[in-house]
Amino acid sequence: PGGSLFVAAPNLENTLYRWAYRLARGKRTHLFDPRDRELHLYHFSVATLTQMLERAGLSVLFVCPDRGAISISQRFLNGIASAYFTVTGKIRGEALEAWCRRP
């Protein structure tokens, strides 16, 4: 009770990354590949992540783009996705951050 939780999860609505991947590689992205550095069995939209956290009894303070990135290309795309979020309020980057509290 009274604790805080920070969650980062893959964004199912990552249209910016899908477009960039398709332009760079000439093929569609995949949600799961066992050769990936990080394996994620679930990808979330803002709505599904919020709903899951609220069902777990948490109060979601806000959801925003996850700005953490390792490669230069990811950091560049995260910057564009963050600017898009600032203008539209829609998260289209690769990952989501959710900040929560337990009432």
Side-chain angles (χ1 to χ4, degrees):
S4 298
L5 175 70
F6 164 79
V7 176
N11 182 11
L12 188 60
E13 299 172 332
N14 63 351
T15 51
L16 177 65
Y17 281 88
R18 287 185 208 171
W19 293 339
Y21 188 90
R22 192 163 205 159
L23 283 172
R25 304 228 172 139
K27 59 184 178 178
R28 297 178 74 172
T29 60
H30 54 273
L31 288 179
F32 176 81
D33 185 336
R35 298 169 294 180
D36 284 344
R37 184 178 57 84
E38 294 179 9
L39 296 178
H40 296 282
L41 298 179
Y42 299 98
H43 292 231
F44 299 91
S45 66
V46 173
T48 58
L49 183 60
T50 300
Q51 185 179 48
M52 182 190 66
L53 293 167
E54 288 175 347
R55 284 186 179 176
L58 298 165
S59 175
V60 178
L61 303 174
F62 62 90
V63 179
C64 64
D66 179 9
R67 292 174 181 87
I70 297 169
S71 72
I72 292 172
S73 61
Q74 283 180 322
R75 278 187 253 153
F76 175 73
L77 288 173
N78 276 349
I80 293 170
S82 293
Y84 184 81
F85 173 69
T86 301
V87 173
T88 67
K90 296 179 182 179
I91 303 173
R92 297 297 184 244
E94 189 173 22
L96 305 168
E97 287 181 8
W99 295 74
C100 314
R101 289 201 74 99
R102 167 120 18 220

